[in-house]
Amino acid sequence: MNRRTKIVAVSAAVLLTLGAGGVAVAQGGDGGHGNHGVREAAALTGTAKLYRPAGDDITFSFDAHLAAKDNKDPQAATGTFRFSHYKNGKGGYAVAKVGCLTTGGKVAVVTGKVIETDVDAFRNKRVGVSVHDDGKRDRLGYSWVGSETNLEVPPCLSAAPFEKVLPGTGDFKVLPWQLDYPTE
């Protein structure tokens, strides 16, 4: 077998392997998301405080991932997200286990069941959060806006990202979901 034939054969084997396992990441990096060598299907990471002129300390943190193998099943997403709201030493927090993650461009929606909290209203409820990763002008929304009694939402749903992130605190990173559509 000549050198050119070997290169073509090896290249074909690599392409077949990558096609079965996901999308390859260029130049060996993973962009800070997911497994080395294979790009995740989607991700939402980072932490920010919301802008509140009255001094409320409201923080959201995300570590949500959808593996390449689960590209067509956003409800297979994994990870956690956390939110807290304190003012004058009073308030509370919640940690949710990710149950669904969808992303598009620089916008992400994540939902999860609250697994840890010191606020009874959130205990065991599914809540949703949306993020717009816009560099220095990140925004965020949450499903419980305007509702104190019915906090539970369906998977992958939340309010639009209506809140402003406090300048200098947002480092959200959204990895856009890339769906493969049938060609026939």
Side-chain angles (χ1 to χ4, degrees):
M1 191 182 297
N2 68 29
R3 184 170 187 256
R4 179 177 169 85
T5 304
K6 286 181 186 177
I7 291 172
V8 170
V10 169
S11 296
V14 168
L15 287 174
L16 286 173
T17 302
L18 291 174
V23 179
V25 177
Q27 297 301 330
D30 67 1
H33 299 285
N35 300 328
H36 299 285
V38 176
R39 181 191 186 277
E40 288 180 297
L44 169 60
T45 58
T47 298
K49 293 182 179 289
L50 296 187
Y51 171 74
R52 288 293 164 81
D56 299 52
D57 181 1
I58 305 171
T59 305
F60 284 82
S61 296
F62 302 93
D63 186 21
H65 305 273
L66 182 63
K69 68 180 182 62
D70 297 318
N71 192 45
K72 294 183 179 179
D73 184 8
Q75 292 187 55
T78 61
T80 59
F81 59 96
R82 177 184 175 96
F83 51 95
S84 61
H85 184 168
Y86 294 98
K87 184 172 183 183
N88 300 326
K90 295 181 181 178
Y93 79 97
V95 177
K97 180 180 178 191
V98 172
C100 191
L101 172 67
T102 58
T103 63
K106 296 197 173 268
V107 175
V109 175
V110 63
T111 54
K113 185 78 76 166
V114 173
I115 58 172
E116 180 183 325
T117 186
D118 58 0
V119 179
D120 287 340
F122 284 109
R123 194 169 315 282
N124 297 316
K125 300 290 187 185
R126 182 173 36 242
V127 295
V129 182
S130 63
V131 167
H132 182 204
D133 173 13
D134 194 21
K136 295 182 180 188
R137 297 181 317 259
D138 289 349
R139 296 183 75 86
L140 184 137
Y142 39 88
S143 60
W144 56 94
V145 64
S147 176
E148 305 246 346
T149 57
N150 186 15
L151 297 176
E152 189 115 12
V153 297
C156 287
L157 292 179
S158 187
F162 58 90
E163 292 266 16
K164 293 179 184 177
V165 169
L166 185 66
T169 70
D171 68 351
F172 296 138
K173 300 285 185 261
V174 173
L175 180 64
W177 199 17
Q178 296 177 347
L179 292 173
D180 294 326
Y181 296 101
T183 57
E184 291 184 26

